[in-house]
């Protein structure tokens, strides 16, 4: 499982020309799921995300996590995070889990975050053609992979 975390001033998801969800200051989290991923990956990534200290403290040092600053979270499914460009110029998505696996995993990830975060987690719509708009704050963008636990 992979997440791409962006610290944002604001973010929104629009589907068919209508805003579906939005957040103010917080984290926009793009989620990619592999067929081999399981509940252990969900728990590890959710915990890592909620403890990620990427918000500034009073001294301007990235030392606070999303719960400490009272920010918001938005989670959007993103199967292209597992794109492979090894052969040629057309990306292959063979490592991305099929919808029958990834959709329930995505839902469990969001529910796990809601329980641990203790607040609402905004989302996109799994499988929809979404327009994601964001203002990256910093910019701060961090890639986390549950198979590469650095």
């Amino acid at each position: 499982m992979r997440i791409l975390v962006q610290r944002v001033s604001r973010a929104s998801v629009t589907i068919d020309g209508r805003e579906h969800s939005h957040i103010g200051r917080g984290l926009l989290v793009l989620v990619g799921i592999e067929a081999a991923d399981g509940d252990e990956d969900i728990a590890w990534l959710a915990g890592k995300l909620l403890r990620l200290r990427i918000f500034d403290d009073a001294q301007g040092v990235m030392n606070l996590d999303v719960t400490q600053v009272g920010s918001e979270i938005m989670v959007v499914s993103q199967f292209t995070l597992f794109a492979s460009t090894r052969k040629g110029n057309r990306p292959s998505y063979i490592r991305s889990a099929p919808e029958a696996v990834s959709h329930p995993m995505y839902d469990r990830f969001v529910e796990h975050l809601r329980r641990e975060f203790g607040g609402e987690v905004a989302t996109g719509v799994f499988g929809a053609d979404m327009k994601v708009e964001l203002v990256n704050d910093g910019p701060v963008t961090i890639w986390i992979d549950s198979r590469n636990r650095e």
Side-chain angles (χ1 to χ4, degrees), residues 65-78:
D65 65 41
V66 66
T67 63
Q68 293 171 310
V69 295
S71 291
E72 300 175 273
I73 299 174
M74 175 181 283
V75 179
V76 176
S77 61
Q78 182 80 44

Side-chain angles (χ1 to χ4, degrees), residues 8 10-15 19-31 49-50 66 71-77 106-107 109-111 113-115 117-126 130 132-133:
V8 298
R10 62 177 169 80
S12 64
V13 172
T14 302
I15 302 169
E19 184 176 87
H20 172 75
S21 61
H22 69 274
I23 63 170
R25 181 177 183 225
L27 301 176
L28 171 62
V29 183
L30 304 177
V31 179
L49 174 67
L50 293 174
V66 66
S71 291
E72 300 175 273
I73 299 174
M74 175 181 283
V75 179
V76 176
S77 61
Y106 168 79
D107 290 343
F109 180 72
V110 170
E111 287 308 312
L113 273 179
R114 285 179 174 146
R115 278 193 314 275
F117 183 52
E120 181 56 32
V121 174
T123 64
V125 173
F126 189 93
M130 297 175 275
V132 180
E133 183 178 348

Side-chain angles (χ1 to χ4, degrees), residues 33 48 58 70 97 108 130-131:
I33 299 167
K48 192 73 163 174
R108 288 198 310 273
M130 297 175 275
K131 307 303 180 213

Side-chain angles (χ1 to χ4, degrees), residues 1-3 31-34 36-51 101-116 144-147 149:
M1 215 171 153
R2 289 181 177 164
I3 59 175
V31 179
I33 299 167
E34 250 184 319
D37 292 331
D39 289 335
E40 180 183 318
D41 298 286
I42 289 171
W44 185 81
L45 279 173
K48 192 73 163 174
L49 174 67
L50 293 174
R51 292 185 302 273
V101 173
S102 56
H103 194 166
M105 288 274 302
Y106 168 79
D107 290 343
R108 288 198 310 273
F109 180 72
V110 170
E111 287 308 312
H112 190 96
L113 273 179
R114 285 179 174 146
R115 278 193 314 275
E116 298 296 316
I144 306 172
D145 191 317
S146 64
R147 301 278 182 239
R149 299 182 182 189

